[in-house]
Amino acid sequence: MNHLLSPLDFSTEELDELFDLADDIERNPEKYAHVCAGKKLATCFYEPSTRTRLSFETAMLNLGGSVIGFSDAASSSASKGESVADTTRVICCFADICAMRHPKEGAAFVAASNSSIPIINAGDGGHQHPTQTLTDLMTIHALKGRLGNFTVGLCGDLKFGRTVHSLIHALVRYENVTFKFISPEELRVPDYIIEMLREKEIPYEEVISLESCIPELDLLYMTRVQRERFFNEEDYVRLKDFYILDKAKMNLAKQDCLVLHPLPRVNEISVEVDDDERAVYFKQVQYGVYVRMALILKLLELA
Amino acid sequence: MLNVGKIEEGLVLDHIKAGKSMEIYRYLQLDKLDCTVAIIKNARSNKMEKKDIIKVECDIDTLNLDILGYIDHNITVNVIQKGEIVEKKALHLPKEIKNVIHCHNPRCITSIEQELPHIFVLADAAKEVYRCKYCEEKYSKKASRDK
């Protein structure tokens, strides 16, 4: 049984196939409009996540399939004390494929270990969120035409940002990628990632100033400073607006420097940047649907 | 000096750090075996000054010795047949250990689902690092030993 639990579950060759399929879906949506007819996706969301859940549901509906599920733990049997393993066994009787979001790390692994249908990890706490990484890679692949040979800047909360860690691990598998880590001292990228880059001899630089390094970037991945990661409200308030990408900073960037963001955006990207054609974070959402459609087809072995 | 006689067939676990024998007794679940088990504590040792020894008179394949590799790979495992040492087994770190160490990550699924076994997978043998199979939380044997 194929599952997607971690962004590294697919080889780069498998990712190429997935992105090619997503490209074809983008170009020929009608060709895929009924391929999942009669199939059901269960979205089991133990914590609210509007964007990810709706993206999965849209993906399945676009493929002609249907959707069942729950959108928070209170409306599931978890509120009665049912284990993830038991809920999964039950869902297997109802659906053909399942996307699961759970606040605890490893929940999707438990589900996959007890499942007869493909499980997609739609986020397990601060651990993995592989479809966000697929979305990020798909956006870069589609708009840059390559996954490699670029300098990527990651800006904001690099310490707690799960999407950033996954993206780094995914990008180091491609050739000639240089990383610029732009963060305040308190939110630096974890040591284990730095060690991994040193071992692989991948060039990186840690900087505090966004202005100083933005001219070198081919990609800028902005992240939100998340309130829930801080024990101390004072630290959060001090750091939340540390970086604000605005028009003035965009004027320093290359003409083809793409700006990505996993969303939701708060203050870190000024709304005045939204009209800049290099700002692709809303296109990223659309690519997220295409890549989830491709993923569903691959896991159901329909493509 | 106390003397414990030879065993005919079984295992002699020698060079156990003094005081650790009861822990090993529990890990190997020796209480469940219907055979002779001798535990010698604080025996004199030229190499270690004091050591523990466990002698188990049983079929040599009865015990899962993988866990010994995790507890202390300096333990000497002597295989005894017809009263003589026929083999000294080398101990290695096991690839996976179950319900020996517990994941202390409060965000791990094992923190709320009590029935799940606590499984750790060997991630780096040289550094003796294990990772929780669920949340990948790191557990360093060396770091834990140095505490």
Side-chain angles (χ1 to χ4, degrees), chain A residues 216-276:
Chain A
E216 301 170 54
L217 306 179
D218 300 300
L219 293 162
L220 173 58
Y221 195 92
M222 295 294 295
T223 61
R224 173 172 62 101
V225 174
Q226 293 169 279
R227 181 192 291 262
E228 58 271 30
R229 304 290 185 204
F230 288 86
F231 291 113
N232 182 339
E233 178 74 7
E234 207 176 286
D235 285 346
Y236 168 71
V237 172
R238 185 166 52 82
L239 294 170
K240 73 183 174 73
D241 294 331
F242 201 92
Y243 297 107
I244 296 176
L245 182 65
D246 53 19
K247 266 190 174 172
K249 292 192 188 81
M250 283 306 289
N251 287 338
L252 302 171
K254 288 182 186 171
Q255 282 312 301
D256 60 350
C257 172
L258 300 181
V259 180
L260 287 84
H261 191 299
L263 301 180
R265 164 262 307 262
V266 188
N267 291 330
E268 60 278 6
I269 302 180
S270 165
V271 289
E272 66 185 21
V273 176
D274 295 355
D275 295 332
D276 192 310

Side-chain angles (χ1 to χ4, degrees), chain A residues 4 10 16 21 24 26-27 38 65 70 72 74 77 109 136 141 146 177 187 193-194 204 223 225 247 273:
Chain A
L4 177 67
F10 288 139
D16 286 344
L21 178 59
D24 197 49
E26 182 187 4
R27 283 192 303 271
F70 52 87
D72 70 90
S77 295
F109 171 73
D136 299 338
H141 161 89
R146 63 183 192 276
V177 176
L187 298 175
I193 289 186
I194 296 292
Y204 72 90
T223 61
V225 174
K247 266 190 174 172
V273 176

